[in-house]
Amino acid sequence: MDSICKPIRFLLLLFTLSAGFLAAQKPRITLDTLPKEKVFGVDTKLKPGATMLVQDGTSFQLAEYKNANGAVTFGSVHLVGVGDVFNGAFKLGSKRVALLSNINLKLTFPNYTEKKVKRICFNFYEGGSIKNLAINGDSIKVIKSFFELQGLEISKGVKVTVVRDTTNKTTSKTGYLCLEGNITSLVIGGDELALDNFCIEGDDSTDSTCSFNSFGVAPRPCNRDGSFLVDIKFQIETPGKTGYYISIGEQVFGPYSYSAPFPAIGPIKPNADG
C-alpha cells in the first residue's frame, strides 16, 4: 500500500508548500442573533421586497421564487436551529439557519463602495429539488443543484466555485458556494433550502479573510485501503469565529476550531490517478 501513498504524500506536501490549501473566510453574517422560529414571508403577510435583515452593509430582502415549470410563487423563510433542520444533517450551519420554502432572498450591498462586492460565500444544504440563482439583475436560473454551477461563469465576469462537504457521511447535499466578480446583487433561493454563514467581501474589505502561515504537515502511515491521515500545524492571523476548513482536491475537511488542538486531517483517499 505504501506505493499508493507515496505519490499522494508528495502531492500533498507540494500542495501545502505552495500554500494551496483552503483558509476559511470569516462568516461576516450569521443568523444566530435573530429570534428562533422567526418567520418572514407569506405566512406572516409580508410581500416581495420586504426586508428580512440588514447587517454589516448587506441587505436581505424577500423575493419571488420560480419553480421548475416557470411559475412564480412566494413562500416563507423560517429561522430554525441547525439541529432542527434536515435531522441535523446541515453540519456547516451555525446555531441558527435560514430555511427557505418556495422563496428567494435578494442580497444588495448599500454600504459598500459603489454598492458592489467582489466575493460572496455561503454554506448551504439542498433539501428540495429546485434552486434559483441570479446575479446583477440577470434572469433567474432554475437549476436542480448548486453543484451544477461549479467552475461556470454564470454572469459577465462572475465565476462560481462550489465545494461539496465530503466530511458529512450521511448526505451529499451540503457544501459551500462562492461567487467572485463585480456583484451588485444576488438572488438565491429554493423550495427546501437551508443557508447560513454569509461572507461578503468588498473592495474596501480589510479583514474578511483570515490568513495562514508557517503551515506544516506530517503524513501518517497508510490504512489498508490506501487512505491515510495527516497531522497539521500552522500560525493564524485574524481568525474567524466558526473555524476553518482544509481542502485537498475534491475533499474538504472541517470545520475545525482555532481554539482546539490541531486535528489529524483525513482520511485522505487516493484518486483514480493514485
Side-chain angles (χ1 to χ4, degrees):
M1 289 297 176
D2 195 54
S3 63
I4 297 178
C5 279
K6 282 181 178 178
I8 301 176
R9 290 175 180 175
F10 173 76
L11 290 173
L12 177 63
L13 288 168
L14 181 63
F15 186 73
T16 301
L17 291 172
S18 64
F21 60 94
L22 177 69
Q25 295 184 326
K26 284 185 179 180
R28 292 282 303 275
I29 300 173
T30 69
L31 307 173
D32 296 348
T33 59
L34 294 178
K36 186 178 179 180
E37 306 302 337
K38 182 74 173 178
V39 179
F40 299 87
V42 67
D43 292 341
T44 50
K45 299 182 180 180
L46 294 176
K47 297 181 179 181
T51 298
M52 184 185 86
L53 173 69
V54 178
Q55 185 175 328
D56 292 336
T58 299
S59 173
F60 292 73
Q61 294 179 313
L62 307 180
E64 292 178 325
Y65 164 80
K66 184 179 291 187
N67 65 23
N69 298 322
V72 174
T73 63
F74 184 69
S76 293
V77 180
H78 297 255
L79 301 183
V80 297
V82 67
D84 299 327
V85 61
F86 304 121
N87 296 317
F90 187 21
K91 303 298 185 183
L92 298 181
S94 54
K95 294 179 181 179
R96 194 97 65 248
V97 304
L99 178 61
L100 282 62
S101 299
N102 300 305
I103 194 170
N104 286 335
L105 289 176
K106 181 178 181 179
L107 280 65
T108 55
F109 317 99
N111 293 345
Y112 281 83
T113 301
E114 297 182 359
K115 298 184 179 181
K116 66 180 181 180
V117 297
K118 62 183 180 182
R119 183 178 175 89
I120 304 172
C121 297
F122 56 86
N123 296 333
F124 66 86
Y125 186 102
E126 298 181 332
S129 59
I130 297 297
K131 316 296 174 297
N132 285 183
L133 190 142
I135 302 292
N136 299 342
D138 291 349
S139 58
I140 291 177
K141 290 178 172 56
V142 179
I143 56 177
K144 292 183 178 180
S145 172
F146 290 139
F147 296 108
E148 299 174 18
L149 304 177
Q150 164 57 22
L152 298 182
E153 182 176 359
I154 60 168
S155 184
K156 184 177 180 181
V158 180
K159 294 186 177 180
V160 187
T161 301
V162 190
V163 179
R164 195 182 303 273
D165 176 23
T166 58
T167 66
N168 192 333
K169 304 301 182 183
T170 62
T171 181
S172 61
K173 298 180 179 181
T174 183
Y176 61 89
L177 184 151
C178 289
L179 301 158
E180 293 189 75
N182 289 324
I183 305 168
T184 57
S185 67
L186 165 65
V187 174
I188 188 82
D191 48 355
E192 288 295 326
L193 174 68
L195 301 174
D196 199 12
N197 296 332
F198 290 83
C199 179
I200 315 294
E201 183 178 352
D203 289 332
D204 50 358
S205 298
T206 59
D207 64 345
S208 60
T209 304
C210 53
S211 60
F212 291 86
N213 57 65
S214 301
F215 188 84
V217 59
R220 295 185 182 182
C222 276
N223 299 316
R224 289 182 177 274
D225 63 356
S227 66
F228 61 98
L229 302 175
V230 294
D231 293 309
I232 64 168
K233 189 175 182 179
F234 57 83
Q235 295 179 349
I236 182 68
E237 298 178 3
T238 62
K241 295 180 179 180
T242 61
Y244 61 95
Y245 303 83
I246 290 181
S247 175
I248 302 173
E250 295 183 352
Q251 295 179 267
V252 180
F253 303 96
Y256 303 109
S257 172
Y258 292 113
S259 61
F262 290 112
I265 305 299
I268 298 166
K269 299 178 181 179
N271 57 29
D273 298 324

